[in-house]
Amino acid sequence: AVPEEDGITIFAASQGPDAVQKAVAKATGLQQSKIGVKFKRVGGGFGGKLMVPALLSATAAQVALKTKHPIRIVLPREVDMGMCGGRQEIEATWEVAVDPKTSKIKAMKYDIWLAHGAGENMQKLIGHMIGAAIDEVYAIPSITVTTHFAKQNFPDRTAVRAPGHFESNLLMEAVLDGVATELEIPGHVLRERNFFQGKFNTSGLSGSLLPQGTLADYVHPTLWASIKSKTNYELRFKNVEEFNKINAWKKRGIALAPARYGMALTPGNSARIDIFKDGSIQLALSGAEIGQGLHTKVAQMVNTQFTQELGYGPPISCMRFLETSTEQNPNGGITGGSTTSEGSMFAAGDAVRQLAERLR
């Protein structure tokens, strides 16, 4: 945190400069326009750098303003990992009502306990995300989910890659495995009997902070059939069963299970492109480069879009990416949900179209 003449500049390894800016504003009383947050790239993240960097930045900013000197906070690795904590522990119990004639699940009730440390961090949001994703690809008429939060004496827990959706997949597939075992039928057969088979469906549960989504242009049954065909699954499953019948001590296993991920088109993706008189280009994006290749993707998009518009695209070697900065791209939101790279690409593509129109 570096105090400036009329504000403060924060250099933070974060997935969301906007979140850091708001946290510093809350802690210091400064207006957001007087707080600049910037960074070139982040050494990984995927959920783990959404919350903690904002808290540390707010702490550093207060000390910097008090002492009128730059303040740097660098955590020892064990402290860093302890503060992040990782994905939350889950304890859950379920009950289902099943039609024994059709093997179709008619109703499901889930009680889920999510652990967290001294702070709740992302846990309440993750609870809602579980409710928005737990139906996966199954046509279960009635689902009730009750989420509990257990405060425990250990480091904080936070968002980790596909928060809520990863947990939903494990929770739902545990139910399908349990029912298949109880009915003594193969797991993939039970899943197929419970798949939603239409083309359009409301997904997720009501009563959540997150709105219900839709499964429009639903293609899961087609993908499932394709995977079974390409892997010769039915024959391999039969071979595994025959092997296990004649071998008492050595066993084999094979399984096939689906997963659904809720794509979120996060708002706020923006791109600024400047062309210098020598033809070189500089770009500023609201999205954060956290190792997912955002800069490379956007550079390729810019080259391709210029080629389509003007017949020639500038080489990537003449492009320079500026720091992700609230001064260049304010109100940019967070980098997450597996769509920020593409959102930045579309923003850059739109900027190129506007520039090409001026250059014609």
Side-chain angles (χ1 to χ4, degrees):
V2 181
E4 306 285 358
E5 180 180 349
D6 56 352
I8 193 167
T9 299
I10 306 294
F11 297 90
S14 171
Q15 290 177 240
D18 188 51
V20 172
Q21 187 185 52
K22 290 177 180 177
V24 172
K26 183 73 173 178
T28 63
L30 291 174
Q31 297 173 333
Q32 285 182 246
S33 61
K34 296 184 178 181
I35 303 166
V37 180
K38 58 181 67 177
F39 50 85
K40 185 72 172 184
R41 62 182 60 84
V42 179
F46 303 95
K49 292 180 180 175
L50 284 172
M51 300 294 292
V52 175
L55 301 176
L56 296 175
S57 297
T59 302
Q62 292 178 82
V63 179
L65 291 174
K66 180 70 174 179
T67 63
K68 295 181 174 55
H69 287 288
I71 296 297
R72 184 185 185 195
I73 296 179
V74 180
L75 300 179
R77 176 54 61 190
E78 63 273 16
V79 176
D80 184 26
M81 297 304 295
M83 289 186 68
C84 290
R87 195 185 298 270
Q88 75 287 336
E89 292 79 358
I90 295 180
E91 182 74 27
T93 59
W94 53 267
E95 297 177 76
V96 293
V98 182
D99 185 338
K101 295 181 180 179
T102 63
S103 303
K104 289 189 175 182
I105 301 173
K106 297 298 183 180
M108 180 180 75
K109 177 184 177 183
Y110 237 127
D111 280 298
I112 303 170
W113 285 262
L114 302 179
H116 66 85
E120 292 175 348
N121 201 287
M122 297 283 290
Q123 294 315 306
K124 283 192 174 179
L125 177 60
I126 290 172
H128 286 281
M129 294 174 76
I130 290 174
I134 196 156
D135 54 335
E136 292 286 312
V137 294
Y138 301 107
I140 301 175
S142 177
I143 301 177
T144 299
V145 173
T146 303
T147 306
H148 312 268
F149 300 95
K151 183 176 182 180
Q152 301 188 40
N153 185 28
F154 53 43
D156 216 353
R157 297 294 184 257
T158 189
V160 179
R161 194 66 173 138
H165 300 278
F166 176 80
E167 291 87 344
S168 294
N169 183 255
L170 294 181
L171 291 166
M172 178 55 80
E173 296 308 315
V175 172
L176 272 293
D177 285 340
V179 173
T181 300
E182 185 69 22
L183 298 180
E184 297 182 340
I185 60 175
H188 69 281
V189 173
L190 178 71
R191 286 170 170 82
E192 290 168 356
R193 293 175 182 175
N194 283 277
F195 284 157
F196 172 69
Q197 298 291 343
K199 293 294 182 183
F200 184 91
N201 185 39
T202 300
S203 65
L205 309 185
S206 62
S208 168
L209 285 176
L210 303 176
Q212 287 181 296
T214 56
L215 298 181
D217 299 320
Y218 178 71
V219 296
H220 170 70
T222 302
L223 293 173
W224 181 270
S226 176
I227 291 175
K228 286 183 67 177
S229 175
K230 289 180 179 179
T231 60
N232 208 8
Y233 184 82
E234 293 289 0
L235 177 60
R236 293 169 68 182
F237 181 83
K238 182 179 179 181
N239 291 339
V240 166
E241 283 195 316
E242 293 177 351
F243 178 89
N244 290 339
K245 287 179 182 178
I246 60 176
N247 288 273
W249 304 107
K250 188 176 182 180
K251 301 293 183 180
R252 292 175 178 171
I254 186 171
L256 182 60
R260 188 188 94 202
Y261 180 71
M263 300 298 292
L265 298 176
T266 54
N269 292 306
S270 61
R272 173 178 170 177
I273 301 178
D274 299 303
I275 303 176
F276 291 94
K277 292 182 179 180
D278 64 356
S280 60
I281 291 175
Q282 72 177 16
L283 303 95
L285 308 172
S286 60
E289 173 60 77
I290 59 174
Q292 81 279 41
L294 180 145
H295 289 172
T296 300
K297 290 180 178 180
V298 171
Q300 292 171 336
M301 180 68 173
V302 169
N303 174 275
T304 300
Q305 195 67 45
F306 266 120
T307 301
Q308 291 177 353
E309 296 288 338
L310 300 176
Y312 175 79
I316 295 178
S317 60
C318 78
M319 300 181 195
R320 176 192 176 217
F321 284 86
L322 302 179
E323 295 170 311
T324 297
S325 169
T326 57
E327 296 170 345
Q328 292 281 352
N329 300 88
N331 306 316
I334 66 169
T335 294
S338 298
T339 56
T340 304
S341 294
E342 287 66 32
S344 298
M345 290 167 63
F346 275 95
D350 185 58
V352 169
R353 283 189 289 271
Q354 295 181 46
L355 288 169
E357 185 62 32
R358 300 174 193 172
L359 292 170
R360 286 192 181 98

